Amino acid sequence: MKKYEAIKSFEENDEDLEMGHENQIHDSATKIINNEERSTMISSSSSSSRKQEQQQHQQQPQTSQRLLSLDVFRGLTVALMILVDDAGGLIPALNHSPWNGLTIADFVMPFFLFIVGVALAFTYKKPSCKVDASRKAVLRALKLLALGIFLQGGYVHRVSDLTFGVDLKQIRLMGILQRIAVAYLITALCEIWLKREDIVNSGSSLLRKYRYQWALALFLSVIYLCLLYGMYVPDWEYEVPTEPSSEPMKFSVKCGVRGDTGPACNVVGMIDRSLLGLQHLYRRPIYARMPECSINSPDYGPLPPDAPSWCQAPFDPEGLLSSVMAIVTCLVGLHYGHIILHFKNHRIRILHWMIPTSCLVVSGIALDLFGMHVNKVLYSFSYTCLTAGAAGILFAGIYLMVDVCGYSRMTSIFQWIGMHALMIYVLAACNIFPIFLQGFYWGNPHNNILKLIGVGS
């Protein structure tokens, strides 16, 4: 019977799923209940009105539910991130690509950004005061930014390399949470300010209502491409610290090019070196796993005898220019959230999702074939298209399985993870929980629980 009702609801208009990222929206549910009470008092003697009341009563619980597919998607992404962190060093297919190319791990970041965009469509659907909503968005972004700097700026180290205190001259300024904070802030402000009051009854009217947001996404993409392929990258130098009593080793990197997308002479790294400073970048660059830089490639390892001079240079995979395209991914997720808000029929929602999804996937593959390689570290335009399209496919599939067909019990663990995503990220992915375990030992600091289970040894 449940399966029949789910399939039937796929054909008919269902009540709007008023759900949010952090809280549930109850205003429309209250209106429906009030209207029901009035209609019941007026037409209580009519048998047809009783049937209509029963149908509406069956649909009432949906108005106060969360969008379960969003929680499942978020939880699945967190689980994938933990799997990549723990098993990526053992299974190359689960680790990030050293440079060009795409692995399972390279989907984690854009999936997170896509989820943030979808949720923001509900969070700032109808703000009562735009100024107050903007202030709250700024405060939330600053909190996320501060948390990211604290966790990834040097205070929380790898399990096998713990020290006390943070050298502010060496602190890392960018990171995963910092990038999400930037994308969150820009996308939230777009949702608050850059939308019209048009009525949406078709795909074209949806585009007209949010055309300024799409214009911003196009503008950011053009700026990124112009800078990446148009700016001149000069030669540059960096130092590698050695023993405390010895002078640091200096390396020179020859560039003098435009439009290079290799590890040494790309604009993404140049902007980070110029604006953030080499000392504030990530010290274990992903390209150090390339065959040119590691004899254990695709894993980290000793340098080959003829290693290029740039192999040990710091490079931040969550840099400034690459975060511009991260904002675009978040705006794509925002569009998917708008579709849920304005279209009530399951079939229409999935249709409006799959059209941009197909275009994004085809564009990403075509751009890669024509030379604009898929690259997670640079967050290339082809990478943006391909991963955003993949996020749309996965989200539509989860939505169909969980929210349409009702198979939510088998995904309950991912729902729970998704509802506590930030807490789990901080405890697991940022080593807070392993560090807590490492703090308890027997006789000698090395005799801790982590050593017994083989972590950090």
Side-chain angles (χ1 to χ4, degrees):
M1 187 65 182
K2 291 183 178 179
K3 294 181 179 178
Y4 170 76
E5 293 176 354
I7 296 174
K8 184 178 179 182
S9 67
F10 189 82
E11 301 288 342
E12 300 175 353
N13 290 342
D14 61 343
E15 295 293 333
D16 188 17
L17 304 175
E18 298 289 332
M19 295 151 285
H21 173 50
E22 297 176 355
N23 51 22
Q24 302 176 2
I25 303 173
H26 300 281
D27 51 350
S28 62
T30 305
K31 292 179 182 178
I32 292 174
I33 294 172
N34 292 337
N35 290 336
E36 247 182 51
E37 292 175 354
R38 296 192 194 100
S39 63
T40 303
M41 294 175 63
I42 294 172
S43 55
S44 59
S45 61
S46 173
S47 60
S48 61
S49 66
R50 293 193 191 100
K51 294 180 180 179
Q52 183 178 6
E53 180 186 349
Q54 291 175 358
Q55 293 176 356
Q56 292 179 352
H57 181 72
Q58 292 175 356
Q59 292 178 350
Q60 277 185 25
Q62 293 182 354
T63 61
S64 62
Q65 293 177 353
R66 292 175 65 92
L67 186 62
L68 297 182
S69 53
L70 186 60
D71 286 329
V72 173
F73 192 3
R74 189 186 299 111
L76 183 63
T77 304
V78 173
L80 178 60
M81 177 192 63
I82 296 174
L83 175 65
V84 167
D85 289 343
D86 294 339
L90 302 176
I91 306 174
L94 294 179
N95 207 346
H96 292 287
S97 175
W99 197 249
N100 293 330
L102 197 64
T103 65
I104 296 177
D106 296 325
F107 287 99
V108 174
M109 172 58 75
F111 280 7
F112 269 126
L113 295 167
F114 181 90
I115 294 166
V116 171
V118 175
L120 283 175
F122 302 103
T123 305
Y124 298 105
K125 184 183 72 169
K126 290 182 179 179
S128 57
C129 177
K130 293 185 177 181
V131 175
D132 186 56
S134 301
R135 181 183 60 82
K136 292 180 180 178
V138 171
L139 290 177
R140 288 178 181 176
L142 289 177
K143 291 177 182 178
L144 198 59
L145 185 70
L147 181 62
I149 293 177
F150 172 77
L151 293 174
Q152 297 177 296
Y155 185 82
V156 181
H157 298 263
R158 296 188 301 275
V159 175
S160 58
D161 184 26
L162 295 175
T163 58
F164 180 78
V166 180
D167 184 358
L168 295 180
K169 291 183 179 180
Q170 308 286 334
I171 191 171
R172 184 187 176 195
L173 298 178
M174 294 298 292
I176 296 173
L177 292 181
Q178 295 93 308
R179 169 171 283 179
I180 294 176
V182 172
Y184 171 91
L185 177 60
I186 301 300
T187 306
L189 294 178
C190 285
E191 182 63 8
I192 294 170
W193 296 97
L194 297 183
K195 62 181 179 182
R196 297 170 59 88
E197 299 299 328
D198 301 354
I199 297 176
V200 176
N201 51 24
S202 64
S204 58
S205 60
L206 179 69
L207 294 177
R208 285 196 300 270
K209 181 179 178 67
Y210 299 103
R211 60 179 177 267
Y212 296 123
Q213 296 180 4
W214 284 110
L216 177 63
L218 178 61
F219 174 76
L220 293 176
S221 300
V222 171
I223 290 296
Y224 171 85
L225 292 174
C226 290
L227 293 177
L228 182 65
Y229 293 102
M231 283 191 69
Y232 176 80
V233 181
D235 300 342
W236 54 283
E237 296 181 346
Y238 70 98
E239 296 181 350
V240 175
T242 55
E243 297 296 331
S245 59
S246 304
E247 290 292 328
M249 298 176 60
K250 293 185 178 181
F251 294 89
S252 298
V253 182
K254 299 295 181 181
C255 290
V257 295
R258 297 180 190 272
D260 189 285
T261 57
C265 301
N266 60 79
V267 174
V268 173
M270 184 196 71
I271 291 178
D272 290 338
R273 292 191 298 269
S274 302
L275 299 181
L276 300 178
L278 276 166
Q279 68 276 17
H280 297 297
L281 303 183
Y282 189 54
R283 296 303 180 92
R284 300 186 73 208
I286 193 70
Y287 54 65
R289 294 172 40 232
M290 296 176 67
E292 297 92 327
C293 301
S294 172
I295 61 175
N296 296 331
S297 179
D299 199 1
Y300 291 100
L303 291 171
D306 56 346
S309 59
W310 44 264
C311 282
Q312 302 179 74
F315 190 96
D316 208 309
E318 285 84 33
L320 296 174
L321 182 59
S322 56
S323 294
V324 170
M325 295 307 296
I327 299 172
V328 176
T329 299
C330 205
L331 289 171
V332 172
L334 183 66
H335 173 68
Y336 281 66
H338 291 156
I339 292 173
I340 299 176
L341 289 177
H342 295 291
F343 299 102
K344 315 306 178 185
N345 185 277
H346 293 310
R347 173 176 288 182
I348 295 177
R349 285 174 177 172
I350 293 178
L351 176 63
H352 282 282
W353 282 336
M354 297 314 296
I355 292 175
T357 291
S358 303
C359 295
L360 287 169
V361 171
V362 171
S363 299
I365 295 175
L367 289 172
D368 183 69
L369 293 176
F370 283 101
M372 187 181 291
H373 297 297
V374 173
N375 188 296
K376 185 263 180 186
V377 184
L378 300 180
Y379 217 111
S380 63
F381 186 71
S382 57
Y383 172 80
T384 304
C385 293
L386 187 56
T387 54
I393 294 174
L394 182 59
F395 179 65
I398 295 175
Y399 173 83
L400 181 62
M401 181 182 71
V402 176
D403 288 308
V404 177
C405 296
Y407 296 109
S408 59
R409 183 172 299 179
M410 65 181 64
T411 61
S412 57
I413 180 63
F414 293 120
Q415 292 179 32
W416 183 85
I417 295 175
M419 295 174 67
H420 306 86
L422 183 60
M423 178 190 69
I424 295 174
Y425 171 82
V426 170
L427 291 178
C430 294
N431 288 336
I432 298 297
F433 185 65
I435 289 173
F436 175 78
L437 293 179
Q438 196 175 27
F440 296 89
Y441 57 88
W442 184 269
N444 188 298
H446 294 285
N447 297 328
N448 54 60
I449 298 177
L450 292 183
K451 185 177 180 181
L452 293 177
I453 61 178
V455 177
S457 58

